[in-house]
Amino acid sequence: MPLTDLITSQDPAVRDTPLASACRALSYRDLLAERDALDRFRRENANLYARVRALFFLYAIDRFHLPARAELPSEGRIPYAGVERLLARRFDEAVRLFRAEEAARGPSDPLCSALAAAHHALAFQTLADQVRASVRGAAGNRWMFRTGSADEHPLRVRPELRTRAAGAPFPVLRERTPVRMDLSHSCWSDIFFLGMDYPEGARVLNVSIDLGVNGRDAAPRPPIEVYFRVIDEPVLRLVSVDLDAAADITSLAEVFDFARDYLGLLKAAVIASGLIPPGLEGVRQELKQVLEALVGPGLGIELVSVVND
């Protein structure tokens, strides 16, 4: 049975066939051929759901099913240019380079590992691109994607936060918020597949709650705290107390580099809030110019996050 049938078939008996059992029924050569067909399918199909399903099938085949075959060579070469694309989040280019290496020298366990990483990341990037398109489509968010330079940045830090007594630090703004509790198993990446394959199981209920330790705290309180202040350096300083991680960011590229350190979630919050609008990604401009527009010459911003216990 062609593996693409597991994605396109209208027959539940076919569509719900586990990928593992479908792969077990194929010879090594047939599995390689089906993988090629899936790769063509995900490139040519216009349906988002079908493309993402195909990418996750490719990930599973390269990560689990091909390495289990004795015919797959255990040694091979991973082209460094592909690794560079992978680290730069240019996942489709990485796949093309890894596939070219496979076409030249044959499949191998190391190449399957590299392809699995690229396919997995590309699947989530495809979903993220759709989310980005949806966010961009909301009228109130469009300015963030249209802001292409520091001169166009419409946000300014309030004067009260930029004013201080002589020799004193700048004022600190503290924000406290409840935590979100997901009462179903469909509030993250799996919502996409549940929504398409099992919509009656994709109902979502979100609850915002305060937390407290029984016997220690007098009452529950918002567990998430963020502190914001202006600083005397033209940098974006991000600090996570819980992760014991901090970074002084000096370039726009580093803001959008989520894999550089443990502060990816804070960076995403900075972008989603519009402090560093997503439209500035890839812009050849210095971060200090953006900070100058936000807070003034020679100044920067410090953001500290802490989740209480």
Side-chain angles (χ1 to χ4, degrees), residues 286-298:
E286 294 186 22
L287 177 60
K288 67 179 181 180
Q289 293 175 271
V290 181
L291 293 171
E292 184 173 329
L294 280 167
V295 291

PDB file of all heavy atoms in Angstrom, residues 286-298:
ATOM      1  N   GLU A 286      21.294  47.661  13.198  1.00  0.00           N
ATOM      2  CA  GLU A 286      21.802  47.279  14.508  1.00  0.00           C
ATOM      3  C   GLU A 286      20.689  47.344  15.548  1.00  0.00           C
ATOM      4  O   GLU A 286      19.796  48.184  15.486  1.00  0.00           O
ATOM      5  CB  GLU A 286      22.955  48.199  14.913  1.00  0.00           C
ATOM      6  CG  GLU A 286      24.180  48.053  14.021  1.00  0.00           C
ATOM      7  CD  GLU A 286      25.343  48.875  14.543  1.00  0.00           C
ATOM      8  OE1 GLU A 286      25.347  49.193  15.738  1.00  0.00           O
ATOM      9  OE2 GLU A 286      26.238  49.190  13.742  1.00  0.00           O
ATOM     10  N   LEU A 287      20.787  46.440  16.522  1.00  0.00           N
ATOM     11  CA  LEU A 287      19.791  46.411  17.600  1.00  0.00           C
ATOM     12  C   LEU A 287      19.784  47.728  18.367  1.00  0.00           C
ATOM     13  O   LEU A 287      18.721  48.192  18.801  1.00  0.00           O
ATOM     14  CB  LEU A 287      20.074  45.248  18.544  1.00  0.00           C
ATOM     15  CG  LEU A 287      19.166  45.116  19.770  1.00  0.00           C
ATOM     16  CD1 LEU A 287      17.709  44.924  19.364  1.00  0.00           C
ATOM     17  CD2 LEU A 287      19.631  43.973  20.663  1.00  0.00           C
ATOM     18  N   LYS A 288      20.943  48.339  18.530  1.00  0.00           N
ATOM     19  CA  LYS A 288      20.989  49.572  19.313  1.00  0.00           C
ATOM     20  C   LYS A 288      20.175  50.690  18.660  1.00  0.00           C
ATOM     21  O   LYS A 288      19.675  51.578  19.358  1.00  0.00           O
ATOM     22  CB  LYS A 288      22.432  50.033  19.522  1.00  0.00           C
ATOM     23  CG  LYS A 288      23.172  50.492  18.280  1.00  0.00           C
ATOM     24  CD  LYS A 288      24.583  50.940  18.646  1.00  0.00           C
ATOM     25  CE  LYS A 288      25.347  51.444  17.424  1.00  0.00           C
ATOM     26  NZ  LYS A 288      26.718  51.875  17.776  1.00  0.00           N
ATOM     27  N   GLN A 289      19.971  50.628  17.340  1.00  0.00           N
ATOM     28  CA  GLN A 289      19.130  51.613  16.682  1.00  0.00           C
ATOM     29  C   GLN A 289      17.665  51.412  17.051  1.00  0.00           C
ATOM     30  O   GLN A 289      16.918  52.377  17.215  1.00  0.00           O
ATOM     31  CB  GLN A 289      19.321  51.525  15.167  1.00  0.00           C
ATOM     32  CG  GLN A 289      20.701  51.938  14.696  1.00  0.00           C
ATOM     33  CD  GLN A 289      20.881  51.711  13.212  1.00  0.00           C
ATOM     34  OE1 GLN A 289      21.289  50.638  12.755  1.00  0.00           O
ATOM     35  NE2 GLN A 289      20.556  52.725  12.437  1.00  0.00           N
ATOM     36  N   VAL A 290      17.270  50.144  17.185  1.00  0.00           N
ATOM     37  CA  VAL A 290      15.898  49.848  17.601  1.00  0.00           C
ATOM     38  C   VAL A 290      15.690  50.282  19.048  1.00  0.00           C
ATOM     39  O   VAL A 290      14.669  50.886  19.394  1.00  0.00           O
ATOM     40  CB  VAL A 290      15.595  48.350  17.432  1.00  0.00           C
ATOM     41  CG1 VAL A 290      14.155  48.041  17.848  1.00  0.00           C
ATOM     42  CG2 VAL A 290      15.837  47.905  15.991  1.00  0.00           C
ATOM     43  N   LEU A 291      16.668  49.979  19.898  1.00  0.00           N
ATOM     44  CA  LEU A 291      16.569  50.370  21.308  1.00  0.00           C
ATOM     45  C   LEU A 291      16.571  51.889  21.452  1.00  0.00           C
ATOM     46  O   LEU A 291      15.884  52.435  22.320  1.00  0.00           O
ATOM     47  CB  LEU A 291      17.732  49.763  22.092  1.00  0.00           C
ATOM     48  CG  LEU A 291      17.713  48.236  22.215  1.00  0.00           C
ATOM     49  CD1 LEU A 291      19.013  47.727  22.821  1.00  0.00           C
ATOM     50  CD2 LEU A 291      16.523  47.765  23.043  1.00  0.00           C
ATOM     51  N   GLU A 292      17.313  52.557  20.592  1.00  0.00           N
ATOM     52  CA  GLU A 292      17.323  54.030  20.637  1.00  0.00           C
ATOM     53  C   GLU A 292      15.947  54.581  20.332  1.00  0.00           C
ATOM     54  O   GLU A 292      15.499  55.561  20.947  1.00  0.00           O
ATOM     55  CB  GLU A 292      18.349  54.562  19.649  1.00  0.00           C
ATOM     56  CG  GLU A 292      18.503  56.071  19.686  1.00  0.00           C
ATOM     57  CD  GLU A 292      19.648  56.567  18.815  1.00  0.00           C
ATOM     58  OE1 GLU A 292      20.641  55.832  18.672  1.00  0.00           O
ATOM     59  OE2 GLU A 292      19.543  57.694  18.271  1.00  0.00           O
ATOM     60  N   ALA A 293      15.252  53.944  19.385  1.00  0.00           N
ATOM     61  CA  ALA A 293      13.894  54.383  19.062  1.00  0.00           C
ATOM     62  C   ALA A 293      12.940  54.115  20.220  1.00  0.00           C
ATOM     63  O   ALA A 293      12.032  54.909  20.497  1.00  0.00           O
ATOM     64  CB  ALA A 293      13.404  53.668  17.801  1.00  0.00           C
ATOM     65  N   LEU A 294      13.154  53.015  20.942  1.00  0.00           N
ATOM     66  CA  LEU A 294      12.265  52.632  22.031  1.00  0.00           C
ATOM     67  C   LEU A 294      12.501  53.447  23.302  1.00  0.00           C
ATOM     68  O   LEU A 294      11.550  53.910  23.944  1.00  0.00           O
ATOM     69  CB  LEU A 294      12.446  51.143  22.347  1.00  0.00           C
ATOM     70  CG  LEU A 294      11.748  50.143  21.438  1.00  0.00           C
ATOM     71  CD1 LEU A 294      12.281  48.740  21.688  1.00  0.00           C
ATOM     72  CD2 LEU A 294      10.245  50.173  21.659  1.00  0.00           C
ATOM     73  N   VAL A 295      13.788  53.600  23.690  1.00  0.00           N
ATOM     74  CA  VAL A 295      14.073  54.189  24.997  1.00  0.00           C
ATOM     75  C   VAL A 295      15.001  55.402  24.954  1.00  0.00           C
ATOM     76  O   VAL A 295      15.050  56.167  25.916  1.00  0.00           O
ATOM     77  CB  VAL A 295      14.679  53.143  25.962  1.00  0.00           C
ATOM     78  CG1 VAL A 295      13.647  52.116  26.348  1.00  0.00           C
ATOM     79  CG2 VAL A 295      15.897  52.467  25.344  1.00  0.00           C
ATOM     80  N   GLY A 296      15.772  55.563  23.878  1.00  0.00           N
ATOM     81  CA  GLY A 296      16.644  56.725  23.796  1.00  0.00           C
ATOM     82  C   GLY A 296      18.095  56.335  23.544  1.00  0.00           C
ATOM     83  O   GLY A 296      18.487  55.176  23.719  1.00  0.00           O
ATOM     84  N   PRO A 297      18.936  57.291  23.155  1.00  0.00           N
ATOM     85  CA  PRO A 297      20.340  57.015  22.838  1.00  0.00           C
ATOM     86  C   PRO A 297      21.107  56.464  24.036  1.00  0.00           C
ATOM     87  O   PRO A 297      20.967  56.940  25.157  1.00  0.00           O
ATOM     88  CB  PRO A 297      20.875  58.399  22.432  1.00  0.00           C
ATOM     89  CG  PRO A 297      19.673  59.198  22.067  1.00  0.00           C
ATOM     90  CD  PRO A 297      18.567  58.705  22.941  1.00  0.00           C
ATOM     91  N   GLY A 298      21.901  55.426  23.777  1.00  0.00           N
ATOM     92  CA  GLY A 298      22.768  54.848  24.801  1.00  0.00           C
ATOM     93  C   GLY A 298      22.065  54.021  25.846  1.00  0.00           C
ATOM     94  O   GLY A 298      22.698  53.570  26.806  1.00  0.00           O
TER      95      GLY A 298
END
